Amino acid sequence: MSSIFFATGKMYLGFIREFTSILALLYDTVAWIVVGPFRGKVASRQSIFQQMVFAGVQSVIIVAFISLFTGIVIAMQSAYQLKQLGAVVYVAPMVSISITRELGPVFTALVVAGRVGSAIAAELGTMKVSEQIEALETLAIDPVRFLVVPRFLGLLVMVPCLTLMANFMGIVGGLIVGVTTLDIGFHRYVLFSFDFLVWKDIWSGLVKSALFAIAIAMISCHVGLSTKGGAEGVGKSTTLSVVISFIMIIVLDCIMTGVFFFSQV
Amino acid sequence: MNKFDAEKDEVVIEVKDLVRKFGDRVVLNGINIKIRKGEIFVIMGGSGCGKSTLLRHIIGNLKPTSGQIFLMGKDIASAEEAALNEIRKKIGMSFQSSALFDSMTVGENVSLPLREHTKLNKNVIEIMVKMKLELVGLRGFEDLLPSEISGGMKKRVGLARAIAMDPQIVFYDEPTAGLDPIMSSVIDKLIVDLSNKLSMTSVVVTHDMKSVMAIADRIAMLYEGRVLEIGTPDEIKNSKNPLVKQFINGSFDGPISFFQEKEDYLDQLTG
């Protein structure tokens, strides 16, 4: 019986330790971004650009595809319910609000965590186990500045951009259902979509997505940089980064929704 | 004959009573070493005797449990990160696994420290990279990726990267491990050449006896976290210490045992 308590306690302490080291990494990263330019030490523009292309541009198609179909599904599900009330036209705001507030930011972050976060953890993990991180340190190049900062900035800029696009594609998905099968009419659908949408729906979603981006970047960089034990370790790190990122995205989403919408109820 | 005079020559690396523990295991147990300017100093010993760990302490990647390490007069065991980085710009390190950045080409690997730490013009850096690659016999390979060249070539690129900033001290971790005999000789010759041409101090960690005797000015023999003996190759060869003798001859019989204690083994078997 006592072993259960020991195990729980150990897990709790391990969690606290990992969490503080992720915060420490975040502090280092932000310090480099804020103080770095004054000391003439910035992450190279080229590597930031590379990371933005990898994290953002190359995720466009998959994010667009997923959000388009999410929009279609939401429209179909809500139409099924709203039809019984004779309020089919409210499918439009239903889709636009649920996409911009929740599904756009969350699905985009999940896709990016799976596609980009795992790649970051695998790349940094491989660099760690093949002495490349140590080589950087020996060359007096800070791995946080050289490796973490470009990935952090790439994700921080691109995830909100992707989210904006996901919002658009989701609404388009709803529009397709509304116009083709629900006979709402293009003009009326668009009008209803945006009549009920307020700015807060959009910006709260974007703030969330920026936080998700920070979480993905920090978790996957930290997990990658603390990889141990060869090829097996790299595999473990890759899986771990995705699992923890997913959990953190959902937890953060819950907290932020509470802050933005539930605190005023 | 020792070509160095201990009184006259400047000591560039001094390790004082270095102790390092990993948990309960004592890996380095009171190491004292002085390395003089311009010499090729070889640290040798069997696998797991702590020689790579010692090297990582000297370059500041690991912190000692107790003791001091002076690198060019500065105590790096207690140095801040910024001060440590200033010292690191004056040293070069060639890794056992080469540790080339595999997303960069050979040329980019060698030019990285120059691009990061100097404000030199792009063309100047390009010329310097060509010169460093020429020194290791790899001019013309700038545009290849590390995955496209052989292990021996990788070692030499790693070496070119280590000397890119014209360091005062170069560290080599197992420079000939995993290479064929000819390539080993090439690397040995390269180490001697670099040390003579550029008057660098070289610290080599290895267990390859052939290359030890070929390149060393002085040798330190490590065993179970302690320095057994320090001396010139001749002194080491004629050592009376049975541990040193056994290691040099590579003989199976001797005080260094491959096996655990017999009683332990019996206990383990019978539970």
Side-chain angles (χ1 to χ4, degrees):
Chain A
M1 189 62 193
S2 66
S3 67
I4 296 175
F5 289 114
F6 276 124
T8 321
K10 229 178 182 175
M11 238 174 72
Y12 176 72
L13 287 178
F15 172 77
I16 296 286
R17 197 172 49 235
E18 292 297 306
F19 194 71
T20 39
S21 43
I22 286 176
L23 286 184
L25 183 64
L26 178 63
Y27 176 82
D28 270 4
T29 311
V30 174
W32 272 115
I33 294 169
V34 176
V35 185
F38 298 104
R39 288 206 232 140
K41 289 268 187 192
V42 217
S44 82
R45 248 182 244 163
Q46 190 200 347
S47 60
I48 297 174
F49 185 73
Q50 266 176 8
Q51 291 302 324
M52 283 168 77
V53 170
F54 174 64
V57 179
Q58 291 173 13
S59 304
V60 163
I61 291 177
I62 179 167
V63 169
F65 192 77
I66 286 180
S67 27
L68 182 75
F69 280 84
T70 309
I72 292 174
V73 169
I74 299 291
M76 293 195 297
Q77 287 284 11
S78 45
Y80 177 74
Q81 294 291 330
L82 290 169
K83 211 167 204 168
Q84 297 169 13
L85 305 170
V88 171
V89 77
Y90 286 101
V91 164
M94 181 80 202
V95 170
S96 63
I97 289 176
S98 54
I99 289 278
T100 50
R101 280 191 190 176
E102 285 296 330
L103 299 171
V106 171
F107 279 12
T108 304
L110 292 180
V111 167
V112 170
R115 209 189 80 85
V116 183
S118 61
I120 290 175
E123 190 185 0
L124 298 193
T126 310
M127 289 184 78
K128 177 75 193 286
V129 298
S130 62
E131 292 181 316
Q132 291 177 49
I133 302 288
E134 210 186 335
L136 271 182
E137 284 171 357
T138 321
L139 293 171
I141 297 170
D142 192 301
V144 173
R145 174 177 68 84
F146 193 75
L147 297 170
V148 179
V149 167
R151 284 162 178 77
F152 176 84
L153 288 177
L155 283 169
L156 186 60
V157 173
M158 292 320 274
V159 172
C161 292
L162 285 170
T163 302
L164 266 184
M165 186 205 62
N167 290 347
F168 176 76
M169 291 307 290
I171 291 172
V172 168
L175 182 83
I176 291 171
V177 176
V179 172
T180 55
T181 61
L182 301 177
D183 291 327
I184 298 179
F186 181 81
H187 188 73
R188 197 146 157 259
Y189 189 96
V190 174
L191 206 70
F192 261 77
S193 280
F194 291 103
D195 250 9
F196 289 86
L197 204 61
V198 291
W199 276 114
K200 191 183 174 186
D201 296 328
I202 295 172
W203 70 249
S204 68
L206 291 182
V207 169
K208 271 184 191 175
S209 74
L211 284 172
F212 296 158
I214 293 172
I216 296 168
M218 287 302 107
I219 290 167
S220 42
C221 285
H222 169 73
V223 169
L225 287 177
S226 42
T227 302
K228 273 184 197 134
E232 197 196 349
V234 174
K236 272 185 190 158
S237 287
T238 312
T239 314
L240 197 66
S241 78
V242 175
V243 171
I244 300 180
S245 296
F246 273 32
I247 295 172
M248 268 319 281
I249 287 166
I250 302 299
V251 170
L252 271 176
D253 184 43
C254 176
I255 295 171
M256 293 319 290
T257 305
V259 171
F260 282 136
F261 297 102
F262 204 64
S263 57
Q264 288 132 20
V265 171
Chain B
M1 264 298 289
N2 193 345
K3 68 175 179 179
F4 295 95
D5 184 346
E7 296 298 313
K8 254 180 7 197
D9 283 295
E10 191 187 336
V11 173
V12 285
I13 300 170
E14 185 172 6
V15 179
K16 266 187 189 168
D17 302 321
L18 175 62
V19 176
R20 173 64 198 228
K21 293 175 188 165
F22 288 112
D24 289 337
R25 208 159 54 90
V26 182
V27 178
L28 298 175
N29 193 0
I31 303 267
N32 283 292
I33 289 176
K34 280 181 186 173
I35 299 173
R36 300 177 202 129
K37 195 173 180 179
E39 73 177 335
I40 299 179
F41 190 89
V42 175
I43 300 168
M44 65 172 198
S47 305
C49 70
K51 50 191 192 315
S52 285
T53 313
L54 173 60
L55 195 65
R56 276 168 176 70
H57 279 90
I58 298 177
I59 61 175
N61 283 5
L62 291 174
K63 296 281 178 208
T65 309
S66 70
Q68 288 170 306
I69 301 153
F70 294 95
L71 199 55
M72 290 178 276
K74 294 211 176 69
D75 184 2
I76 61 157
S78 59
E80 294 281 320
E81 194 65 22
L84 196 54
N85 278 340
E86 282 311 308
I87 302 173
R88 277 171 172 162
K89 287 177 194 170
K90 294 179 199 153
I91 65 172
M93 167 98 181
S94 153
F95 286 86
Q96 184 173 357
S97 62
S98 308
L100 299 180
F101 305 117
D102 34 37
S103 57
M104 300 180 196
T105 64
V106 166
E108 285 168 346
N109 262 289
V110 179
S111 66
L112 181 69
L114 297 167
R115 281 183 283 139
E116 286 289 322
H117 297 312
T118 66
K119 290 198 166 70
L120 292 173
N121 188 299
K122 216 175 159 191
N123 300 326
V124 178
I125 289 183
E126 212 166 280
I127 293 169
M128 287 179 76
V129 169
K130 283 207 174 95
M131 282 165 63
K132 300 298 174 191
L133 284 174
E134 172 73 35
L135 273 176
V136 298
L138 283 177
R139 188 164 48 90
F141 286 84
E142 286 92 335
D143 295 330
L144 292 181
L145 285 169
S147 55
E148 296 166 334
I149 58 176
S150 75
M153 284 154 90
K154 277 186 204 167
K155 278 259 154 92
R156 286 187 281 163
V157 176
L159 195 46
R161 185 179 67 187
I163 58 171
M165 294 278 286
D166 294 322
Q168 295 170 20
I169 311 171
V170 187
F171 297 89
Y172 303 85
D173 191 5
E174 307 270 7
T176 57
L179 299 181
D180 66 63
I182 299 171
M183 193 51 74
S184 299
S185 306
V186 171
I187 299 271
D188 285 345
K189 189 165 178 304
L190 213 54
I191 295 173
V192 175
D193 276 359
L194 288 174
S195 148
N196 292 340
K197 279 184 197 160
L198 309 173
S199 60
M200 293 168 179
T201 310
S202 306
V203 180
V204 185
V205 161
T206 184
H207 53 231
D208 180 350
M209 280 315 300
K210 196 171 140 273
S211 82
V212 171
M213 291 306 167
I215 62 176
D217 289 322
R218 286 198 307 147
I219 300 169
M221 166 92 195
L222 237 61
Y223 179 68
E224 291 187 340
R226 289 176 172 282
V227 177
L228 276 187
E229 203 161 328
I230 297 182
T232 61
D234 285 333
E235 285 167 12
I236 295 287
K237 254 184 227 167
N238 302 322
S239 168
K240 295 276 183 292
N241 191 324
L243 288 163
V244 179
K245 259 188 186 164
Q246 187 196 352
F247 190 82
I248 288 175
N249 300 326
S251 50
F252 183 80
D253 292 319
I256 304 177
S257 175
F258 162 71
F259 298 106
Q260 300 290 316
E261 291 290 316
K262 262 189 187 139
E263 284 74 19
D264 283 358
Y265 185 50
L266 268 176
D267 282 348
Q268 275 177 16
L269 282 182
T270 53

